[in-house]
Amino acid sequence: DIVMTQTPLSSPVTLGQPASISCRSSQSLVHSDGNTYLSWLQQRPGQPPRLLIYKISNRFSGVPDRFSGSGAGTDFTLKISRVEAEDVGVYYCMQATQLGLTFGGGTKVEIK
Amino acid sequence: QVQLVESGGGVVQPGGSLRLSCAASGFTFSSYGMHWVRQAPGKGLEWVAFIRYDGSNKYYADSVKGRFTISRDNSKNTLYLQMNSLRAEDTAVYYCAKEGEGYNWNPEYVDYWGQGTLVTVSS
């Protein structure tokens, strides 16, 4: 199985300031079809996960443009340009390149 | 709008069985692969199983292989998870989740999640 490692575990951020989360995979996420199936999910307290970003950098419908994804191969990053109160929650990276989807351990974003 | 509504969770003794259902609406169910993903209390996400849009192939996490069976009824827009030989470590909220692209042979990303149903395995 591909192991997904996220850092940091926790990210206290001041409102209006940027936040960045890293995700590293144990092997390349480039699929044989040329795509890289790396997604980012947000889980607010008491809610199910919600898709933010898919295939590294594609913002899902309705996701604010302060969220952006980047990276390639085994190293990926989610950035929030200006954190808002509603962004509090746990963020997960997820790979679907290899069957047997795997998730990072999660990064908790909280307000300082 | 896309809706996924899980049901069938509850408390069951170790070794027991439970069948979860997920009623789908707001999209052409028969065109999309579907997943079950679980989350133990206070823990992260764990993928459980995937079924292709037409039910032709099914895949399972090693932790549930041989005990759980994923299935679907495209005429009823419903996804199922039959869980047998349940263990304490199966205690979790179980989410059904929809693939982002239709007619995929393999998973690519998950775009919608249900609210989840809680399964508690305890004597």
Side-chain angles (χ1 to χ4, degrees), chain A residues 37 39 41 43 47-49 51 54-55 60 92 94 96 99-101 103, chain B residues 35 37 39 43-45 47 59 95 107-115:
Chain A
Y37 297 112
S39 304
L41 309 169
Q43 189 173 31
Q47 294 294 311
L51 176 66
Y54 62 98
K55 287 194 267 189
F60 187 57
Y92 296 94
M94 185 199 90
L99 197 49
L101 276 60
F103 299 86
Chain B
H35 301 265
V37 177
Q39 186 170 36
K43 302 296 185 184
L45 300 166
W47 173 77
Y59 303 96
Y95 296 103
E108 294 187 359
Y109 62 94
V110 173
D111 61 355
Y112 288 97
W113 300 66
Q115 289 293 316

PDB file of all heavy atoms in Angstrom, chain A residues 37 39 41 43 47-49 51 54-55 60 92 94 96 99-101 103, chain B residues 35 37 39 43-45 47 59 95 107-115:
ATOM      1  N   TYR A  37      -3.421  11.028  -9.187  1.00  0.00           N
ATOM      2  CA  TYR A  37      -4.691  11.041  -8.459  1.00  0.00           C
ATOM      3  C   TYR A  37      -4.472  11.353  -6.977  1.00  0.00           C
ATOM      4  O   TYR A  37      -4.626  10.502  -6.093  1.00  0.00           O
ATOM      5  CB  TYR A  37      -5.424   9.717  -8.658  1.00  0.00           C
ATOM      6  CG  TYR A  37      -5.790   9.508 -10.118  1.00  0.00           C
ATOM      7  CD1 TYR A  37      -5.194   8.501 -10.880  1.00  0.00           C
ATOM      8  CD2 TYR A  37      -6.704  10.354 -10.747  1.00  0.00           C
ATOM      9  CE1 TYR A  37      -5.528   8.326 -12.219  1.00  0.00           C
ATOM     10  CE2 TYR A  37      -7.029  10.198 -12.081  1.00  0.00           C
ATOM     11  CZ  TYR A  37      -6.433   9.175 -12.821  1.00  0.00           C
ATOM     12  OH  TYR A  37      -6.754   9.023 -14.147  1.00  0.00           O
ATOM     13  N   SER A  39      -5.751  13.951  -4.034  1.00  0.00           N
ATOM     14  CA  SER A  39      -6.842  14.859  -3.660  1.00  0.00           C
ATOM     15  C   SER A  39      -6.609  15.407  -2.253  1.00  0.00           C
ATOM     16  O   SER A  39      -5.850  14.833  -1.468  1.00  0.00           O
ATOM     17  CB  SER A  39      -8.178  14.110  -3.632  1.00  0.00           C
ATOM     18  OG  SER A  39      -8.457  13.489  -4.844  1.00  0.00           O
ATOM     19  N   LEU A  41      -8.980  16.770   1.085  1.00  0.00           N
ATOM     20  CA  LEU A  41     -10.302  16.791   1.688  1.00  0.00           C
ATOM     21  C   LEU A  41     -10.272  17.642   2.958  1.00  0.00           C
ATOM     22  O   LEU A  41      -9.249  17.699   3.646  1.00  0.00           O
ATOM     23  CB  LEU A  41     -10.739  15.370   2.083  1.00  0.00           C
ATOM     24  CG  LEU A  41     -10.640  14.293   1.002  1.00  0.00           C
ATOM     25  CD1 LEU A  41     -10.847  12.919   1.606  1.00  0.00           C
ATOM     26  CD2 LEU A  41     -11.658  14.545  -0.088  1.00  0.00           C
ATOM     27  N   GLN A  43     -12.417  18.183   6.599  1.00  0.00           N
ATOM     28  CA  GLN A  43     -13.455  17.659   7.486  1.00  0.00           C
ATOM     29  C   GLN A  43     -13.648  18.626   8.648  1.00  0.00           C
ATOM     30  O   GLN A  43     -12.807  18.708   9.540  1.00  0.00           O
ATOM     31  CB  GLN A  43     -13.114  16.259   7.996  1.00  0.00           C
ATOM     32  CG  GLN A  43     -14.275  15.618   8.748  1.00  0.00           C
ATOM     33  CD  GLN A  43     -14.029  14.162   9.122  1.00  0.00           C
ATOM     34  OE1 GLN A  43     -12.895  13.755   9.364  1.00  0.00           O
ATOM     35  NE2 GLN A  43     -15.095  13.373   9.174  1.00  0.00           N
ATOM     36  N   GLN A  47     -18.681  16.841  10.872  1.00  0.00           N
ATOM     37  CA  GLN A  47     -19.162  16.742   9.488  1.00  0.00           C
ATOM     38  C   GLN A  47     -18.436  15.639   8.726  1.00  0.00           C
ATOM     39  O   GLN A  47     -17.340  15.224   9.115  1.00  0.00           O
ATOM     40  CB  GLN A  47     -18.924  18.077   8.766  1.00  0.00           C
ATOM     41  CG  GLN A  47     -19.750  19.226   9.318  1.00  0.00           C
ATOM     42  CD  GLN A  47     -21.221  19.015   9.083  1.00  0.00           C
ATOM     43  OE1 GLN A  47     -21.660  18.692   7.974  1.00  0.00           O
ATOM     44  NE2 GLN A  47     -22.016  19.184  10.121  1.00  0.00           N
ATOM     45  N   PRO A  48     -19.018  15.159   7.615  1.00  0.00           N
ATOM     46  CA  PRO A  48     -18.281  14.229   6.763  1.00  0.00           C
ATOM     47  C   PRO A  48     -17.189  14.979   6.000  1.00  0.00           C
ATOM     48  O   PRO A  48     -17.215  16.215   5.933  1.00  0.00           O
ATOM     49  CB  PRO A  48     -19.360  13.712   5.798  1.00  0.00           C
ATOM     50  CG  PRO A  48     -20.373  14.802   5.746  1.00  0.00           C
ATOM     51  CD  PRO A  48     -20.373  15.434   7.103  1.00  0.00           C
ATOM     52  N   PRO A  49     -16.275  14.253   5.408  1.00  0.00           N
ATOM     53  CA  PRO A  49     -15.259  14.918   4.583  1.00  0.00           C
ATOM     54  C   PRO A  49     -15.904  15.605   3.384  1.00  0.00           C
ATOM     55  O   PRO A  49     -16.989  15.233   2.935  1.00  0.00           O
ATOM     56  CB  PRO A  49     -14.362  13.756   4.131  1.00  0.00           C
ATOM     57  CG  PRO A  49     -14.582  12.689   5.142  1.00  0.00           C
ATOM     58  CD  PRO A  49     -16.020  12.816   5.546  1.00  0.00           C
ATOM     59  N   LEU A  51     -14.681  17.286  -0.511  1.00  0.00           N
ATOM     60  CA  LEU A  51     -13.598  17.403  -1.486  1.00  0.00           C
ATOM     61  C   LEU A  51     -13.257  18.876  -1.740  1.00  0.00           C
ATOM     62  O   LEU A  51     -14.134  19.686  -2.009  1.00  0.00           O
ATOM     63  CB  LEU A  51     -14.003  16.748  -2.814  1.00  0.00           C
ATOM     64  CG  LEU A  51     -13.003  16.873  -3.959  1.00  0.00           C
ATOM     65  CD1 LEU A  51     -11.720  16.109  -3.641  1.00  0.00           C
ATOM     66  CD2 LEU A  51     -13.617  16.357  -5.263  1.00  0.00           C
ATOM     67  N   TYR A  54      -8.765  18.048  -6.466  1.00  0.00           N
ATOM     68  CA  TYR A  54      -8.532  16.726  -7.042  1.00  0.00           C
ATOM     69  C   TYR A  54      -7.487  16.810  -8.146  1.00  0.00           C
ATOM     70  O   TYR A  54      -7.269  17.884  -8.717  1.00  0.00           O
ATOM     71  CB  TYR A  54      -9.826  16.092  -7.563  1.00  0.00           C
ATOM     72  CG  TYR A  54     -10.498  16.861  -8.681  1.00  0.00           C
ATOM     73  CD1 TYR A  54     -10.314  16.480 -10.006  1.00  0.00           C
ATOM     74  CD2 TYR A  54     -11.321  17.951  -8.414  1.00  0.00           C
ATOM     75  CE1 TYR A  54     -10.921  17.173 -11.041  1.00  0.00           C
ATOM     76  CE2 TYR A  54     -11.934  18.656  -9.444  1.00  0.00           C
ATOM     77  CZ  TYR A  54     -11.737  18.255 -10.745  1.00  0.00           C
ATOM     78  OH  TYR A  54     -12.341  18.944 -11.765  1.00  0.00           O
ATOM     79  N   LYS A  55      -6.844  15.710  -8.418  1.00  0.00           N
ATOM     80  CA  LYS A  55      -5.749  15.627  -9.393  1.00  0.00           C
ATOM     81  C   LYS A  55      -4.770  16.774  -9.192  1.00  0.00           C
ATOM     82  O   LYS A  55      -4.505  17.565 -10.102  1.00  0.00           O
ATOM     83  CB  LYS A  55      -6.315  15.575 -10.814  1.00  0.00           C
ATOM     84  CG  LYS A  55      -6.960  14.214 -11.107  1.00  0.00           C
ATOM     85  CD  LYS A  55      -7.235  13.992 -12.591  1.00  0.00           C
ATOM     86  CE  LYS A  55      -8.611  14.412 -12.962  1.00  0.00           C
ATOM     87  NZ  LYS A  55      -8.994  14.011 -14.343  1.00  0.00           N
ATOM     88  N   PHE A  60     -12.477  21.863  -6.645  1.00  0.00           N
ATOM     89  CA  PHE A  60     -13.816  21.302  -6.854  1.00  0.00           C
ATOM     90  C   PHE A  60     -14.854  22.420  -6.857  1.00  0.00           C
ATOM     91  O   PHE A  60     -14.627  23.514  -6.326  1.00  0.00           O
ATOM     92  CB  PHE A  60     -14.124  20.266  -5.776  1.00  0.00           C
ATOM     93  CG  PHE A  60     -15.405  19.514  -5.984  1.00  0.00           C
ATOM     94  CD1 PHE A  60     -15.623  18.795  -7.158  1.00  0.00           C
ATOM     95  CD2 PHE A  60     -16.405  19.507  -5.027  1.00  0.00           C
ATOM     96  CE1 PHE A  60     -16.803  18.096  -7.370  1.00  0.00           C
ATOM     97  CE2 PHE A  60     -17.584  18.811  -5.221  1.00  0.00           C
ATOM     98  CZ  PHE A  60     -17.784  18.114  -6.399  1.00  0.00           C
ATOM     99  N   TYR A  92      -7.125  16.248   4.978  1.00  0.00           N
ATOM    100  CA  TYR A  92      -6.518  14.979   4.601  1.00  0.00           C
ATOM    101  C   TYR A  92      -6.100  15.007   3.133  1.00  0.00           C
ATOM    102  O   TYR A  92      -6.853  15.495   2.280  1.00  0.00           O
ATOM    103  CB  TYR A  92      -7.520  13.828   4.756  1.00  0.00           C
ATOM    104  CG  TYR A  92      -7.988  13.546   6.158  1.00  0.00           C
ATOM    105  CD1 TYR A  92      -9.167  14.114   6.637  1.00  0.00           C
ATOM    106  CD2 TYR A  92      -7.271  12.690   6.993  1.00  0.00           C
ATOM    107  CE1 TYR A  92      -9.615  13.851   7.926  1.00  0.00           C
ATOM    108  CE2 TYR A  92      -7.714  12.419   8.290  1.00  0.00           C
ATOM    109  CZ  TYR A  92      -8.880  13.005   8.736  1.00  0.00           C
ATOM    110  OH  TYR A  92      -9.318  12.731  10.019  1.00  0.00           O
ATOM    111  N   MET A  94      -5.306  12.370  -0.030  1.00  0.00           N
ATOM    112  CA  MET A  94      -5.770  11.033  -0.387  1.00  0.00           C
ATOM    113  C   MET A  94      -5.219  10.663  -1.751  1.00  0.00           C
ATOM    114  O   MET A  94      -5.247  11.492  -2.666  1.00  0.00           O
ATOM    115  CB  MET A  94      -7.298  11.018  -0.454  1.00  0.00           C
ATOM    116  CG  MET A  94      -7.901   9.646  -0.713  1.00  0.00           C
ATOM    117  SD  MET A  94      -9.610   9.726  -1.310  1.00  0.00           S
ATOM    118  CE  MET A  94      -9.331   9.785  -3.074  1.00  0.00           C
ATOM    119  N   ALA A  96      -5.439   7.944  -5.056  1.00  0.00           N
ATOM    120  CA  ALA A  96      -6.245   6.916  -5.714  1.00  0.00           C
ATOM    121  C   ALA A  96      -5.489   6.325  -6.907  1.00  0.00           C
ATOM    122  O   ALA A  96      -6.072   5.624  -7.727  1.00  0.00           O
ATOM    123  CB  ALA A  96      -7.576   7.493  -6.179  1.00  0.00           C
ATOM    124  N   LEU A  99      -4.906   1.146  -6.428  1.00  0.00           N
ATOM    125  CA  LEU A  99      -6.154   0.678  -5.853  1.00  0.00           C
ATOM    126  C   LEU A  99      -5.925   0.220  -4.431  1.00  0.00           C
ATOM    127  O   LEU A  99      -4.965  -0.486  -4.147  1.00  0.00           O
ATOM    128  CB  LEU A  99      -6.715  -0.465  -6.700  1.00  0.00           C
ATOM    129  CG  LEU A  99      -8.181  -0.792  -6.464  1.00  0.00           C
ATOM    130  CD1 LEU A  99      -9.035   0.470  -6.504  1.00  0.00           C
ATOM    131  CD2 LEU A  99      -8.656  -1.781  -7.476  1.00  0.00           C
ATOM    132  N   GLY A 100      -6.898   0.669  -3.591  1.00  0.00           N
ATOM    133  CA  GLY A 100      -6.674   0.603  -2.167  1.00  0.00           C
ATOM    134  C   GLY A 100      -6.359   2.032  -1.786  1.00  0.00           C
ATOM    135  O   GLY A 100      -5.246   2.360  -1.433  1.00  0.00           O
ATOM    136  N   LEU A 101      -7.404   2.912  -1.873  1.00  0.00           N
ATOM    137  CA  LEU A 101      -7.202   4.322  -1.580  1.00  0.00           C
ATOM    138  C   LEU A 101      -6.560   4.454  -0.206  1.00  0.00           C
ATOM    139  O   LEU A 101      -6.905   3.732   0.736  1.00  0.00           O
ATOM    140  CB  LEU A 101      -8.557   5.056  -1.541  1.00  0.00           C
ATOM    141  CG  LEU A 101      -9.152   5.531  -2.850  1.00  0.00           C
ATOM    142  CD1 LEU A 101      -9.390   4.386  -3.802  1.00  0.00           C
ATOM    143  CD2 LEU A 101     -10.454   6.265  -2.586  1.00  0.00           C
ATOM    144  N   PHE A 103      -5.097   7.418   2.807  1.00  0.00           N
ATOM    145  CA  PHE A 103      -5.223   8.782   3.285  1.00  0.00           C
ATOM    146  C   PHE A 103      -4.027   9.144   4.162  1.00  0.00           C
ATOM    147  O   PHE A 103      -3.464   8.269   4.846  1.00  0.00           O
ATOM    148  CB  PHE A 103      -6.488   8.938   4.140  1.00  0.00           C
ATOM    149  CG  PHE A 103      -7.759   8.648   3.411  1.00  0.00           C
ATOM    150  CD1 PHE A 103      -8.249   7.352   3.323  1.00  0.00           C
ATOM    151  CD2 PHE A 103      -8.494   9.669   2.812  1.00  0.00           C
ATOM    152  CE1 PHE A 103      -9.428   7.068   2.655  1.00  0.00           C
ATOM    153  CE2 PHE A 103      -9.675   9.402   2.157  1.00  0.00           C
ATOM    154  CZ  PHE A 103     -10.148   8.102   2.067  1.00  0.00           C
TER     155      PHE A 103
ATOM    156  N   HIS B  35     -17.763   3.953  -3.198  1.00  0.00           N
ATOM    157  CA  HIS B  35     -16.871   3.488  -2.145  1.00  0.00           C
ATOM    158  C   HIS B  35     -17.596   3.428  -0.799  1.00  0.00           C
ATOM    159  O   HIS B  35     -18.569   4.151  -0.572  1.00  0.00           O
ATOM    160  CB  HIS B  35     -15.708   4.467  -1.939  1.00  0.00           C
ATOM    161  CG  HIS B  35     -14.841   4.711  -3.113  1.00  0.00           C
ATOM    162  ND1 HIS B  35     -13.669   4.017  -3.327  1.00  0.00           N
ATOM    163  CD2 HIS B  35     -14.961   5.592  -4.143  1.00  0.00           C
ATOM    164  CE1 HIS B  35     -13.095   4.471  -4.430  1.00  0.00           C
ATOM    165  NE2 HIS B  35     -13.849   5.423  -4.946  1.00  0.00           N
ATOM    166  N   VAL B  37     -16.039   4.086   3.034  1.00  0.00           N
ATOM    167  CA  VAL B  37     -14.868   4.560   3.781  1.00  0.00           C
ATOM    168  C   VAL B  37     -15.305   4.662   5.238  1.00  0.00           C
ATOM    169  O   VAL B  37     -16.427   5.097   5.515  1.00  0.00           O
ATOM    170  CB  VAL B  37     -14.389   5.938   3.272  1.00  0.00           C
ATOM    171  CG1 VAL B  37     -13.205   6.445   4.116  1.00  0.00           C
ATOM    172  CG2 VAL B  37     -13.995   5.865   1.804  1.00  0.00           C
ATOM    173  N   GLN B  39     -14.370   5.613   9.541  1.00  0.00           N
ATOM    174  CA  GLN B  39     -13.586   6.468  10.429  1.00  0.00           C
ATOM    175  C   GLN B  39     -13.872   6.050  11.863  1.00  0.00           C
ATOM    176  O   GLN B  39     -14.974   6.269  12.369  1.00  0.00           O
ATOM    177  CB  GLN B  39     -13.943   7.944  10.213  1.00  0.00           C
ATOM    178  CG  GLN B  39     -13.091   8.918  10.980  1.00  0.00           C
ATOM    179  CD  GLN B  39     -13.321  10.346  10.538  1.00  0.00           C
ATOM    180  OE1 GLN B  39     -14.442  10.744  10.208  1.00  0.00           O
ATOM    181  NE2 GLN B  39     -12.252  11.161  10.528  1.00  0.00           N
ATOM    182  N   LYS B  43     -10.363   9.071  15.025  1.00  0.00           N
ATOM    183  CA  LYS B  43      -9.253   8.653  14.156  1.00  0.00           C
ATOM    184  C   LYS B  43      -9.412   9.187  12.745  1.00  0.00           C
ATOM    185  O   LYS B  43     -10.347   9.942  12.443  1.00  0.00           O
ATOM    186  CB  LYS B  43      -9.182   7.120  14.116  1.00  0.00           C
ATOM    187  CG  LYS B  43      -9.000   6.477  15.477  1.00  0.00           C
ATOM    188  CD  LYS B  43      -7.684   6.848  16.107  1.00  0.00           C
ATOM    189  CE  LYS B  43      -7.464   6.100  17.420  1.00  0.00           C
ATOM    190  NZ  LYS B  43      -6.212   6.536  18.094  1.00  0.00           N
ATOM    191  N   GLY B  44      -8.490   8.789  11.879  1.00  0.00           N
ATOM    192  CA  GLY B  44      -8.510   9.229  10.491  1.00  0.00           C
ATOM    193  C   GLY B  44      -9.390   8.361   9.618  1.00  0.00           C
ATOM    194  O   GLY B  44     -10.141   7.516  10.102  1.00  0.00           O
ATOM    195  N   LEU B  45      -9.272   8.580   8.313  1.00  0.00           N
ATOM    196  CA  LEU B  45     -10.117   7.893   7.330  1.00  0.00           C
ATOM    197  C   LEU B  45      -9.448   6.616   6.837  1.00  0.00           C
ATOM    198  O   LEU B  45      -8.232   6.581   6.619  1.00  0.00           O
ATOM    199  CB  LEU B  45     -10.374   8.835   6.147  1.00  0.00           C
ATOM    200  CG  LEU B  45     -11.085  10.134   6.510  1.00  0.00           C
ATOM    201  CD1 LEU B  45     -10.991  11.128   5.362  1.00  0.00           C
ATOM    202  CD2 LEU B  45     -12.537   9.867   6.863  1.00  0.00           C
ATOM    203  N   TRP B  47     -10.150   3.605   3.866  1.00  0.00           N
ATOM    204  CA  TRP B  47     -10.933   3.067   2.759  1.00  0.00           C
ATOM    205  C   TRP B  47     -11.293   1.609   3.046  1.00  0.00           C
ATOM    206  O   TRP B  47     -10.459   0.841   3.547  1.00  0.00           O
ATOM    207  CB  TRP B  47     -10.132   3.179   1.467  1.00  0.00           C
ATOM    208  CG  TRP B  47     -10.752   2.517   0.297  1.00  0.00           C
ATOM    209  CD1 TRP B  47     -11.795   2.969  -0.465  1.00  0.00           C
ATOM    210  CD2 TRP B  47     -10.386   1.239  -0.255  1.00  0.00           C
ATOM    211  NE1 TRP B  47     -12.072   2.057  -1.449  1.00  0.00           N
ATOM    212  CE2 TRP B  47     -11.230   0.993  -1.352  1.00  0.00           C
ATOM    213  CE3 TRP B  47      -9.413   0.279   0.074  1.00  0.00           C
ATOM    214  CZ2 TRP B  47     -11.144  -0.167  -2.122  1.00  0.00           C
ATOM    215  CZ3 TRP B  47      -9.321  -0.862  -0.697  1.00  0.00           C
ATOM    216  CH2 TRP B  47     -10.184  -1.084  -1.783  1.00  0.00           C
ATOM    217  N   TYR B  59     -13.400  -4.304  -4.967  1.00  0.00           N
ATOM    218  CA  TYR B  59     -12.083  -4.339  -4.328  1.00  0.00           C
ATOM    219  C   TYR B  59     -12.252  -4.028  -2.849  1.00  0.00           C
ATOM    220  O   TYR B  59     -13.120  -3.228  -2.475  1.00  0.00           O
ATOM    221  CB  TYR B  59     -11.152  -3.311  -4.982  1.00  0.00           C
ATOM    222  CG  TYR B  59     -10.996  -3.523  -6.464  1.00  0.00           C
ATOM    223  CD1 TYR B  59     -11.765  -2.805  -7.368  1.00  0.00           C
ATOM    224  CD2 TYR B  59     -10.087  -4.451  -6.966  1.00  0.00           C
ATOM    225  CE1 TYR B  59     -11.641  -3.003  -8.730  1.00  0.00           C
ATOM    226  CE2 TYR B  59      -9.954  -4.656  -8.335  1.00  0.00           C
ATOM    227  CZ  TYR B  59     -10.731  -3.931  -9.206  1.00  0.00           C
ATOM    228  OH  TYR B  59     -10.608  -4.141 -10.561  1.00  0.00           O
ATOM    229  N   TYR B  95     -18.981   5.744   5.882  1.00  0.00           N
ATOM    230  CA  TYR B  95     -19.453   6.683   4.873  1.00  0.00           C
ATOM    231  C   TYR B  95     -19.554   5.993   3.514  1.00  0.00           C
ATOM    232  O   TYR B  95     -18.624   5.236   3.144  1.00  0.00           O
ATOM    233  CB  TYR B  95     -18.469   7.834   4.708  1.00  0.00           C
ATOM    234  CG  TYR B  95     -18.272   8.719   5.917  1.00  0.00           C
ATOM    235  CD1 TYR B  95     -17.142   8.609   6.720  1.00  0.00           C
ATOM    236  CD2 TYR B  95     -19.210   9.703   6.242  1.00  0.00           C
ATOM    237  CE1 TYR B  95     -16.945   9.436   7.809  1.00  0.00           C
ATOM    238  CE2 TYR B  95     -19.023  10.537   7.338  1.00  0.00           C
ATOM    239  CZ  TYR B  95     -17.894  10.398   8.111  1.00  0.00           C
ATOM    240  OH  TYR B  95     -17.703  11.231   9.185  1.00  0.00           O
ATOM    241  N   PRO B 107     -10.769   3.786  -9.455  1.00  0.00           N
ATOM    242  CA  PRO B 107     -11.017   5.052  -8.755  1.00  0.00           C
ATOM    243  C   PRO B 107     -10.068   6.154  -9.210  1.00  0.00           C
ATOM    244  O   PRO B 107      -8.926   5.879  -9.600  1.00  0.00           O
ATOM    245  CB  PRO B 107     -10.770   4.697  -7.292  1.00  0.00           C
ATOM    246  CG  PRO B 107     -10.949   3.233  -7.204  1.00  0.00           C
ATOM    247  CD  PRO B 107     -10.468   2.691  -8.517  1.00  0.00           C
ATOM    248  N   GLU B 108     -10.554   7.396  -9.127  1.00  0.00           N
ATOM    249  CA  GLU B 108      -9.723   8.567  -9.441  1.00  0.00           C
ATOM    250  C   GLU B 108      -9.802   9.582  -8.304  1.00  0.00           C
ATOM    251  O   GLU B 108      -8.781  10.058  -7.831  1.00  0.00           O
ATOM    252  CB  GLU B 108     -10.174   9.200 -10.759  1.00  0.00           C
ATOM    253  CG  GLU B 108      -9.940   8.277 -11.945  1.00  0.00           C
ATOM    254  CD  GLU B 108     -10.222   8.950 -13.266  1.00  0.00           C
ATOM    255  OE1 GLU B 108     -10.616  10.135 -13.284  1.00  0.00           O
ATOM    256  OE2 GLU B 108     -10.029   8.282 -14.297  1.00  0.00           O
ATOM    257  N   TYR B 109     -10.982   9.934  -7.891  1.00  0.00           N
ATOM    258  CA  TYR B 109     -11.160  10.784  -6.721  1.00  0.00           C
ATOM    259  C   TYR B 109     -12.610  10.662  -6.276  1.00  0.00           C
ATOM    260  O   TYR B 109     -13.469  10.209  -7.024  1.00  0.00           O
ATOM    261  CB  TYR B 109     -10.785  12.241  -7.010  1.00  0.00           C
ATOM    262  CG  TYR B 109     -11.605  12.942  -8.066  1.00  0.00           C
ATOM    263  CD1 TYR B 109     -12.708  13.714  -7.733  1.00  0.00           C
ATOM    264  CD2 TYR B 109     -11.257  12.838  -9.410  1.00  0.00           C
ATOM    265  CE1 TYR B 109     -13.458  14.359  -8.701  1.00  0.00           C
ATOM    266  CE2 TYR B 109     -12.001  13.482 -10.386  1.00  0.00           C
ATOM    267  CZ  TYR B 109     -13.098  14.241 -10.023  1.00  0.00           C
ATOM    268  OH  TYR B 109     -13.843  14.874 -10.987  1.00  0.00           O
ATOM    269  N   VAL B 110     -12.869  11.076  -5.058  1.00  0.00           N
ATOM    270  CA  VAL B 110     -14.202  10.976  -4.466  1.00  0.00           C
ATOM    271  C   VAL B 110     -14.755  12.381  -4.315  1.00  0.00           C
ATOM    272  O   VAL B 110     -14.117  13.225  -3.664  1.00  0.00           O
ATOM    273  CB  VAL B 110     -14.125  10.280  -3.095  1.00  0.00           C
ATOM    274  CG1 VAL B 110     -15.470  10.334  -2.401  1.00  0.00           C
ATOM    275  CG2 VAL B 110     -13.661   8.842  -3.258  1.00  0.00           C
ATOM    276  N   ASP B 111     -15.926  12.648  -4.880  1.00  0.00           N
ATOM    277  CA  ASP B 111     -16.411  14.028  -4.830  1.00  0.00           C
ATOM    278  C   ASP B 111     -17.543  14.276  -3.844  1.00  0.00           C
ATOM    279  O   ASP B 111     -17.701  15.407  -3.381  1.00  0.00           O
ATOM    280  CB  ASP B 111     -16.774  14.550  -6.235  1.00  0.00           C
ATOM    281  CG  ASP B 111     -17.874  13.762  -6.916  1.00  0.00           C
ATOM    282  OD1 ASP B 111     -18.324  12.731  -6.363  1.00  0.00           O
ATOM    283  OD2 ASP B 111     -18.273  14.170  -8.020  1.00  0.00           O
ATOM    284  N   TYR B 112     -18.341  13.271  -3.515  1.00  0.00           N
ATOM    285  CA  TYR B 112     -19.410  13.484  -2.546  1.00  0.00           C
ATOM    286  C   TYR B 112     -19.431  12.363  -1.511  1.00  0.00           C
ATOM    287  O   TYR B 112     -19.184  11.194  -1.849  1.00  0.00           O
ATOM    288  CB  TYR B 112     -20.782  13.573  -3.233  1.00  0.00           C
ATOM    289  CG  TYR B 112     -20.967  14.854  -4.003  1.00  0.00           C
ATOM    290  CD1 TYR B 112     -20.735  14.885  -5.373  1.00  0.00           C
ATOM    291  CD2 TYR B 112     -21.360  16.024  -3.353  1.00  0.00           C
ATOM    292  CE1 TYR B 112     -20.891  16.060  -6.086  1.00  0.00           C
ATOM    293  CE2 TYR B 112     -21.521  17.200  -4.063  1.00  0.00           C
ATOM    294  CZ  TYR B 112     -21.280  17.216  -5.426  1.00  0.00           C
ATOM    295  OH  TYR B 112     -21.428  18.384  -6.129  1.00  0.00           O
ATOM    296  N   TRP B 113     -19.729  12.749  -0.283  1.00  0.00           N
ATOM    297  CA  TRP B 113     -19.785  11.829   0.846  1.00  0.00           C
ATOM    298  C   TRP B 113     -21.138  11.933   1.525  1.00  0.00           C
ATOM    299  O   TRP B 113     -21.721  13.018   1.601  1.00  0.00           O
ATOM    300  CB  TRP B 113     -18.706  12.196   1.871  1.00  0.00           C
ATOM    301  CG  TRP B 113     -17.313  12.153   1.358  1.00  0.00           C
ATOM    302  CD1 TRP B 113     -16.750  12.957   0.398  1.00  0.00           C
ATOM    303  CD2 TRP B 113     -16.279  11.269   1.786  1.00  0.00           C
ATOM    304  NE1 TRP B 113     -15.435  12.619   0.200  1.00  0.00           N
ATOM    305  CE2 TRP B 113     -15.122  11.587   1.045  1.00  0.00           C
ATOM    306  CE3 TRP B 113     -16.213  10.238   2.729  1.00  0.00           C
ATOM    307  CZ2 TRP B 113     -13.912  10.914   1.212  1.00  0.00           C
ATOM    308  CZ3 TRP B 113     -15.006   9.557   2.904  1.00  0.00           C
ATOM    309  CH2 TRP B 113     -13.873   9.908   2.147  1.00  0.00           C
ATOM    310  N   GLY B 114     -21.618  10.801   2.045  1.00  0.00           N
ATOM    311  CA  GLY B 114     -22.805  10.839   2.865  1.00  0.00           C
ATOM    312  C   GLY B 114     -22.476  11.336   4.263  1.00  0.00           C
ATOM    313  O   GLY B 114     -21.320  11.624   4.576  1.00  0.00           O
ATOM    314  N   GLN B 115     -23.498  11.408   5.115  1.00  0.00           N
ATOM    315  CA  GLN B 115     -23.306  11.863   6.502  1.00  0.00           C
ATOM    316  C   GLN B 115     -22.738  10.762   7.391  1.00  0.00           C
ATOM    317  O   GLN B 115     -22.231  11.045   8.476  1.00  0.00           O
ATOM    318  CB  GLN B 115     -24.637  12.340   7.079  1.00  0.00           C
ATOM    319  CG  GLN B 115     -25.130  13.652   6.481  1.00  0.00           C
ATOM    320  CD  GLN B 115     -24.242  14.829   6.845  1.00  0.00           C
ATOM    321  OE1 GLN B 115     -23.817  14.995   7.977  1.00  0.00           O
ATOM    322  NE2 GLN B 115     -23.930  15.675   5.864  1.00  0.00           N
TER     323      GLN B 115
END
